[in-house]
Amino acid sequence: MSRPFLVKDIALQAGLSLATVDRVLNERPGVREHTVRRVRQAIGELEKQRAQIGLSGRKLVLDVVMEAPSRFSEAVRQGLEQAMPSLQPVIFRARYHVAETRGVGDTVAIIEALRRRGSNGVFLKAPDVAEVRGATAGLVTAGIPVVTLVTDLPDTGRQAYVGMDNRAAGETAAYLLGEWLGGGPARILVTISSNRFRGEEEREIGFRQALRERYPALGIIEVSEGHGLDRNTGMLALAALRANPDIAGVYSIGGGNRAIVEAFAALGRTCRAFVGHDLDADNLALLRAGRVSAVLHHDLGHDMRNACLHVMRAHGLLPKSPVSGMANIQIITPFNVPQAAGNTWGNATVLQG
């Protein structure tokens, strides 16, 4: 295996000993394939963070633990790696533990391994279940600051939450859909990636409450467990559309929006209004092609910078003055798409007319 970086840098990035990394690099026998993959991943991460290597200053190693579609994990990676150089003289390095779907036991194992090995901070997007809450509280007890991303775990002692106000996002989606659908009568397809995530639950609660108060003639058909993946989400959407001919709009909380759009097209159905989340490549293409009408957008790069500031405060590197974790939501139309949208994605709500 090639050695583009010092062994000590690779070992730090991989969370392994110098001896283990040396065995992998020299292709000695007796090394598990999982360990080899970790070293290769660490080298790939260092390639993307090359500008941070060798800089002088206080070094902090972050661990990003996420269960999310790859399009969103990549958006977080881009946002964080763009934010890190602006935080000198503190030098941040990031290690990534991401998967599109992951069992609760696997998430807990990752968190507990970080507690044993050590970390300067953990950015966490994980299900709100008892096992994950307990493991996260264990990180905090061990003195490792935790910042939750997009979806919160408020009863764990975490340092902060960064992301949009999920309840307000749901309420905004209800207002937009209610106005566009003229108050009904009709039903709205609500898709959730998984009911284990608090952030998605908060969006759904805000949406349902605002709809009930302002647009009582609009009903809801809810489907979940598509995990934001196109194939799974598309199948759920097709089944719901076939069973409910009065669905006139969509609130896609959990992603997979291209597949939902295709489900309408496959059945020859018209979607009068579509609200979703994440200004990723798929949704950006839909917006620019005129398939979506507006996006509620927030700057993910700004979120990641805020998350880093929270970690710096936890280590006494900044004063303890408060940093707002809630991101401002901006209304984006096809006529005011941010110039940097193709490079720095935010968390967004997408409308299709």
Side-chain angles (χ1 to χ4, degrees):
M1 190 179 297
S2 62
R3 306 186 190 192
F5 302 100
L6 295 176
V7 174
K8 66 177 183 178
D9 288 326
I10 299 172
L12 176 64
Q13 191 71 24
L16 298 169
S17 69
L18 290 170
T20 298
V21 172
D22 183 71
R23 286 200 299 273
V24 172
L25 293 176
N26 288 286
E27 301 181 353
R28 298 193 179 102
V31 181
R32 293 180 300 172
E33 181 60 29
H34 171 71
T35 302
V36 175
R37 288 198 301 269
R38 281 177 58 187
V39 171
R40 287 174 176 160
Q41 177 182 331
I43 292 172
E45 291 170 356
L46 289 172
E47 287 283 356
K48 294 181 179 180
Q49 300 175 55
R50 188 181 288 273
Q52 298 292 96
I53 307 301
L55 294 178
S56 60
R58 173 71 181 274
K59 290 184 172 62
L60 296 179
V61 177
L62 303 172
D63 286 279
V64 181
V65 181
M66 298 185 66
E67 180 184 346
S70 59
R71 58 182 177 269
F72 187 73
S73 297
E74 181 59 25
V76 168
R77 184 193 298 269
Q78 290 185 20
L80 178 55
E81 291 175 1
Q82 288 179 9
M84 288 191 297
S86 70
L87 296 165
Q88 294 181 28
V90 175
I91 311 303
F92 282 97
R93 295 258 297 275
R95 304 183 292 209
Y96 295 90
H97 317 265
V98 301
E100 292 197 312
T101 60
R102 180 187 282 143
V104 170
D106 291 334
T107 296
V108 170
I110 291 169
I111 295 172
E112 291 183 343
L114 293 176
R115 177 181 56 80
R116 292 191 301 269
R117 293 201 303 263
S119 176
N120 297 126
V122 174
F123 294 170
L124 182 62
K125 180 184 182 296
D128 182 15
V129 297
E131 298 90 337
V132 173
R133 290 195 300 271
T136 302
L139 283 176
V140 175
T141 300
I144 299 173
V146 177
V147 178
T148 52
L149 306 176
V150 184
T151 183
D152 201 7
L153 298 170
D155 300 323
T156 59
R158 53 93 174 118
Q159 180 78 12
Y161 162 78
V162 297
M164 67 167 53
D165 182 331
N166 287 307
R167 191 173 293 243
E171 292 168 343
T172 302
Y175 171 74
L176 292 167
L177 283 167
E179 292 296 307
W180 283 16
L181 296 175
R187 286 201 279 189
I188 298 169
L189 177 64
V190 176
T191 64
I192 298 174
S193 74
S194 175
N195 55 25
R196 301 175 302 155
F197 291 97
R198 176 182 287 265
E200 295 194 12
E201 180 184 49
E202 290 175 341
R203 292 173 184 176
E204 191 272 340
I205 290 172
F207 181 77
R208 189 180 292 271
Q209 181 175 334
L211 210 65
R212 183 171 57 247
E213 292 175 355
R214 297 179 65 99
Y215 310 99
L218 290 174
I220 292 174
I221 298 295
E222 182 178 314
V223 298
S224 67
E225 308 313 310
H227 302 290
L229 304 178
D230 283 346
R231 182 175 183 275
N232 298 347
T233 303
M235 292 173 62
L236 290 169
L238 275 171
L241 289 170
R242 288 187 176 118
N244 300 278
D246 59 344
I247 290 177
V250 174
Y251 181 29
S252 173
I253 293 175
N257 295 342
R258 183 179 292 278
I260 300 171
V261 169
E262 291 172 353
F264 275 88
L267 298 178
R269 296 273 292 274
T270 298
C271 181
R272 293 169 53 198
F274 188 121
V275 180
H277 284 268
D278 300 339
L279 189 57
D280 55 28
D282 282 356
N283 289 336
L284 193 59
L286 291 171
L287 182 67
R288 286 174 168 162
R291 303 292 299 277
V292 300
S293 303
V295 174
L296 302 183
H297 170 71
H298 80 268
D299 186 347
L300 189 54
H302 180 73
D303 283 354
M304 302 314 298
R305 178 179 171 82
N306 266 354
C308 291
L309 293 177
H310 283 298
V311 170
M312 291 169 67
R313 281 177 167 80
H315 286 280
L317 300 175
L318 287 176
K320 291 291 186 181
S321 58
V323 177
S324 173
M326 294 293 186
N328 293 326
I329 300 173
Q330 308 165 26
I331 298 176
I332 306 298
T333 74
F335 302 98
N336 67 335
V337 175
Q339 291 185 356
N343 299 317
T344 304
W345 303 337
N347 215 9
T349 301
V350 182
L351 301 183
Q352 178 171 346

